[in-house]
Amino acid sequence: MSSSVSSPDKPRTVTGKVFALSDRAIAWLFISPTILLLLAINIFPLVWTIYLSFTNYRANQPGRAIRWVGTRNYERLLGNEDIWGYLQATAHFVLWTMLLQVVIGFGLALLINRNFKGASFWTTVILIPMMLSPAVVGVFWTYIYQPQTGIFSYIVNFFADVGPLDMIGSVDLAPWSIIIVDTWMWTPYIMLLCLAGLRSIPDYLYEAAEIDRANAWQKFFYITLPRVMPFLMLAVLFRGIENFKMFDMVVELTSGGPGSTTEVASINLKREAFEKWRTGYSSAFAIILFVTVFGLSNIYVKALNKVKQ
Amino acid sequence: MRNWKAWVAGAIMSVGLSTSVQAADKEITLCWAAWDPANALAELSKDFTAQSGIKMKFEFVPWTNFADRFLNELNSKGKLCDLLIGDSQWIGGGATYGHYVKLNDFFDKEGISMDDFAPATVNAYSTWPKGTPNYYALPAMGDALGWVYRKDWFARPEIRAEFKKKYGRELGAPQTWTELKEVAQFFQGREIDGKKVYGAAIYTERGSEGITMGVTSALYAWGFKYENTPGKYDMEGAVNSPEAVEALEFYKSLYDCCTPPGHSDAYMVANLDAYKSGQVAMQMNWFAFFPGIAKDEAVGGDKSGFFVNPKQKVAASTLGGQGISVVSYSDKKDLALQYIKWFANPKVQAKWWSLGGYSCHNAVLGAPDFPKSTPFAADFLKAMAGVKDFWQEPIYAELLQSMQKRIHNYVVAGKGTAKEALDKIIKDWTESFQDDGKL
């Protein structure tokens, strides 16, 4: 009995010290590198950005004294009608891409789920756009949209003789040009998640519905849709956040033009931060965007949890 | 035995390493845009390497990323570039923020006189503050916005006859913007050699500086001024003067009437493509591209003619071109200065012109045979005599982006009026100058 008790004057090894730690201390030991990393690359930049948003700092003038300007940057932003225009362009882009991608993606998933001959081949073909780089997609769609030589104008004119169709240069068409490209590129993603949802529905539910003489619509609305909904909502969440900060594809396709018609928030943010070098002002804009996305995502996640229940 | 071999291998490696370090020490990097003149400079620089033993490395970035790439490099005090041929508008920031080495002492020591270079280029590419003898660059590449036209189309008798009947004058290189628009309208939608052609390819690019460069070529011809009093930033009445409004409306009308379909985001390359593919009768572009056009298989030789930016109320052209600066963050400033000294030599400048670069040296520009040395040399001289540049303030990029947005919104997107666009530019610029402490 006495031999199991270590003598107080005997030095403990490192291993001994570790084993002597409490469970809570060991847990902290394991997660502390991650927390430190998180603090360094996420939390600190966020706090620093919040600080900069209240200053007149310009990153290209390191010698200039940083002056505290209070809420001036926020006041300027919220009072600037152009900013509301960029947010409106972003909202238009996000809402329409989500709507189209959900409808088409879900439809494609239902088709592929029928397991027809060659289904796996077509699944692969449908997935190809999403494997491409958005910047590359933006560049080659400028050629597709070219009014004189592009295939898009040719196809439209094949069905309706409207003449050279200037998708990128027209104020009315340019917002749709980016919506079409994003839908082409990312519908497969929605389809993939919907397909996962469809494959997770047990057959016995449909068999039971058959016995109850449910028609196809009833089966869709009472079995398929509720079961796929959590997957669909998750896909919309991911794509919604991505599209809210969409940058590369739009820059390559329209540069935010004509004028500022397709200047989504992230393009303006980049211009303010790294072309005009208004770091304080752009930090304030970044915080506003962050709060918007964070707030909307939280509301959405709560809704998602309700659907799951 | 093994120990002995290891020692020998180590010795060989260390000798090799020190040699490569020495070789790297004798190498400098020159940064510029990726375009024809850059290739000419790379060719020219072989003479420098042969004379000095200093190897040249080149970092050429496409124009679309040029400003982003190198301004970020300067702002982050990067050591990539020892020499930088930066845009004329960068001189204010380069000098103010300490990116460029001040060259006055070096010029004095080496006997390089700025009087040997064309005054407009010295003022535009080298000095800051403007009008003071503080030099931060050597004029390297003179450039201005000019025009190219299909001389072969203009020479066709049936086209000439039809034009004369319609406008009562001979078809030729336009002398005014009004004439230019008439010619563009005349060619718009016309069928030539079984192909539909269009009037003119003009700058409409949104992302970097394109539409501003294009529009200013019209504004300057209408006598545009940035300030009522130079240095006072009093823009009301100058930037939005009736003449400026008229010029901007004219540029929009030219865009609306006479450009090819889809020409809504076009800069240098898009204009070159439209012209070389036989789509347009005229294009605006930098003189820097003219040697390439003159030699082009499809449109070179007698097929193309060149003309200086047409006047309207005054004769003026938008300034392009750049000076060459030594980057103050370079570890090889002495080698870079050797390059500047070599480049300033009149003989090197003469070869620079012969290779397709635009020398700014008086010995080249003032040579009796210079105006006839190329089909565009005389127009280049005319243009350089009346060049005007955008703001060269340290915050020029901010000022430029505001103008890009407002002008593109009016000209291409068709939103608002010319007066409203110019008023908004004044509002933006005033805010920028206030933030910068100038107002």
Side-chain angles (χ1 to χ4, degrees), chain B residues 29-41:
Chain B
T29 303
L30 189 154
C31 299
W32 199 11
W35 60 336
D36 289 349
N39 299 330
L41 188 65

Side-chain angles (χ1 to χ4, degrees), chain A residues 58 61 82 86 259 263, chain B residues 97 206 398 405-406 408:
Chain A
R58 284 172 182 264
Q61 299 177 23
D82 291 342
Y86 306 138
E263 189 161 336
Chain B
Y97 305 145
R206 168 71 177 89
E398 187 175 334
K405 180 168 83 178
R406 302 304 181 193
H408 209 270

